[in-house]
Amino acid sequence: MALPSIALLTALICSACAARSVDQLRVWFDPQDYTSTFGEPAYLFLWIDGVVDRNVTVKFNAVDGASHVNITAEQSHFYEGASYTEKRTYVSVTGSHQGRFIIKADVEPEGRADDRRLFARLKVALNQPLIYISLVIGWAYTACWSIGYYPQIFLNHQRKSVVGLSFDFLHINIVGHICYAVFNSFMYWNNYIEQEYFDRHPQGLNPVIGNDVGFAVHASLATGYTILQCYFYPKHGNTVSPAAKVIVGTYFVIIAIAASQAVFGAFHWLDFLYILSYIKLSTTLVKYFPQAYMNFKRKSTEGFSIWNRLLDIAGGLLSILQMVINAWNFDDWQSIWGDPVKFGLGVFSILFDIVFIVQHYVLYRKSDHVDHVYKIGKHTSIQTSKL
């Protein structure tokens, strides 16, 4: 009995060693996202690492639009006994038409390497200068949106007062920003969440980049600092309304329930992050109303920095301009119409910016106004000033 047991144990050890040998072989594209113009070759970098225990062939093909993509080397060979330490090779790919194409690589024989995400995305543009123009526009609108928080902070400091600034707007806004920051941070840095995303989208790339994380964290900090100003500077009774407290409280309840469901395994953590992103989107639908209503009741925009809205509308228009340029340059109008919620929310924000601009420069430009104290649905006059 001992001999068969030893033979079985030896066979198991050999199988484990063989499995470990196979597991050591890795083949991947890095980066996975490439941009070129049609007629111009793009060089996709293919990396291999590990020991090849038998001859391996990597075959390349275009998943969609194969007739518009020319791959110079349809396959690469790696021979038995070879050992590689993150060796880089490349394959040249040329697009003959605008669009977005997936270049897939398959490892044969099957099972010699994990090739589930062995693909690269090629974006073929009509015009190279438009790529750089789009990049500049992207940095420009990010700068507009980021700088836009500081005029209000500076105005509060200059006036030593936060009268005229809606506390409801700020508290609803910071909930959205924090949710957005958490969503972006985990999508960008957490490998477990990223793998969940890839499992659902086998040929998808992580939609979050470093700029998204930085913007969301900065927006949360800037809004948080503005809220701190509201509790240090005179506010003449200005406070968070009961309606806003209900809205913010509802958000917290939703977050708490969703988090508990994820903890107990009722759904995935990625779903929890999606819920945070939906909360961010919903705050955009409601956060502007309190400030617009306060301006209407006071018949004044004093205390509310219009520069915040001017920079916001500039960023929004630049963002839409970039979307249109990219859609035309890459023949990818689906990127706009395929996400109507995001596009619609951008237009919604711009419309409210126009409302604030009309209030500031037209309706209440030279009017005498009375500051009001808002307390649980009623207001009391405390001072009169002239713009």
Side-chain angles (χ1 to χ4, degrees):
M1 293 295 293
L3 189 59
S5 299
I6 294 174
L8 178 61
L9 180 60
T10 302
L12 290 174
I13 292 175
C14 291
S15 299
C17 291
R20 185 177 298 111
S21 175
V22 172
D23 291 342
Q24 288 178 348
L25 184 64
R26 297 191 303 127
V27 185
W28 71 98
F29 281 116
D30 186 27
Q32 287 185 282
D33 203 5
Y34 296 82
T35 301
S36 70
T37 55
F38 66 86
E40 174 193 10
Y43 297 98
L44 281 56
F45 294 126
L46 180 74
W47 299 78
I48 183 168
D49 183 81
V51 178
V52 182
D53 66 334
R54 59 182 295 187
N55 293 346
V56 168
T57 300
V58 180
K59 295 185 176 182
F60 307 99
N61 62 86
V63 177
D64 297 313
S67 60
H68 299 304
V69 177
N70 179 38
I71 304 176
T72 55
E74 295 185 356
Q75 58 189 24
S76 294
H77 301 279
F78 302 95
Y79 298 101
E80 180 179 353
S83 178
Y84 300 98
T85 303
E86 296 191 357
K87 175 181 173 58
R88 185 183 74 175
T89 183
Y90 69 87
V91 56
S92 176
V93 179
T94 305
S96 60
H97 191 277
Q98 297 162 265
R100 299 172 185 264
F101 308 98
I102 298 297
I103 310 301
K104 187 78 170 64
D106 297 307
V107 178
E108 295 182 356
E110 294 184 3
R112 312 318 295 178
D114 185 357
D115 58 2
R116 289 176 299 175
R117 290 192 52 78
L118 187 52
F119 71 91
R121 182 174 64 183
L122 175 66
K123 295 180 290 184
V124 181
L126 173 68
N127 189 284
Q128 182 73 25
L130 285 180
I131 297 176
Y132 298 114
I133 292 173
S134 173
L135 182 63
V136 171
I137 291 175
W139 281 105
Y141 73 68
T142 300
C144 286
W145 284 340
S146 298
I147 296 171
Y149 292 96
Y150 293 98
Q152 186 66 58
I153 292 173
F154 178 76
L155 181 63
N156 295 342
H157 176 75
Q158 186 181 49
R159 296 172 68 236
K160 297 295 188 291
S161 171
V162 290
V163 175
L165 179 60
S166 171
F167 286 19
D168 294 357
F169 166 76
L170 291 173
H171 285 77
I172 294 173
N173 202 22
I174 196 170
V175 171
H177 284 322
I178 291 176
C179 287
Y180 190 49
V182 172
F183 173 85
N184 284 338
S185 297
F186 276 87
M187 284 291 293
Y188 186 71
W189 276 312
N190 190 282
N191 293 332
Y192 175 79
I193 296 297
E194 185 179 54
Q195 187 57 52
E196 275 195 24
Y197 179 83
F198 291 154
D199 289 342
R200 298 188 190 186
H201 308 279
Q203 293 183 354
L205 301 180
N206 193 327
V208 176
I209 60 176
N211 286 358
D212 297 327
V213 179
F215 172 79
V217 172
H218 171 265
S220 301
L221 294 174
T223 304
Y225 184 81
T226 308
I227 291 175
L228 285 178
Q229 287 183 313
C230 293
Y231 290 96
F232 282 102
Y233 291 141
K235 49 187 175 288
H236 296 161
N238 189 8
T239 186
V240 181
S241 71
K245 291 179 180 178
V246 170
I247 292 173
V248 172
T250 301
Y251 285 143
F252 283 145
V253 170
I254 293 173
I255 293 171
I257 293 175
S260 64
Q261 293 296 304
V263 168
F264 291 108
F267 55 67
H268 297 289
W269 280 106
L270 181 60
D271 296 313
F272 170 72
L273 294 180
Y274 280 148
I275 289 175
L276 295 186
S277 71
Y278 299 148
I279 290 175
K280 163 59 181 174
L281 293 176
S282 69
T283 60
T284 304
L285 292 174
V286 299
K287 67 182 182 180
Y288 297 112
F289 287 97
Q291 185 65 60
Y293 180 72
M294 175 178 280
N295 295 344
F296 168 75
K297 294 294 291 184
R298 297 173 70 238
K299 298 297 185 289
S300 170
T301 58
E302 185 179 6
F304 176 69
S305 174
I306 194 61
W307 278 102
N308 175 280
R309 307 329 305 166
L310 293 175
L311 288 167
D312 186 77
I313 195 172
L317 292 173
L318 287 171
S319 175
I320 291 177
L321 176 61
Q322 185 195 52
M323 292 172 66
V324 172
I325 288 176
N326 286 342
W328 182 77
N329 200 26
F330 293 102
D331 193 22
D332 186 23
W333 296 99
Q334 185 64 23
S335 62
I336 296 179
W337 314 127
D339 193 355
V341 174
K342 182 178 180 179
F343 182 76
L345 287 173
V347 174
F348 180 82
S349 298
I350 290 175
L351 291 177
F352 252 104
D353 290 334
I354 294 173
V355 169
F356 289 124
I357 290 171
V358 171
Q359 285 182 324
H360 184 82
Y361 289 109
V362 179
L363 298 179
Y364 313 131
R365 181 179 181 183
K366 296 181 179 179
S367 62
D368 291 332
H369 72 275
V370 179
D371 283 331
H372 298 282
V373 177
Y374 292 87
K375 293 183 178 178
I376 315 179
K378 62 182 181 179
H379 61 271
T380 306
S381 302
I382 60 171
Q383 69 179 29
T384 303
S385 60
K386 188 180 181 72
L387 288 178

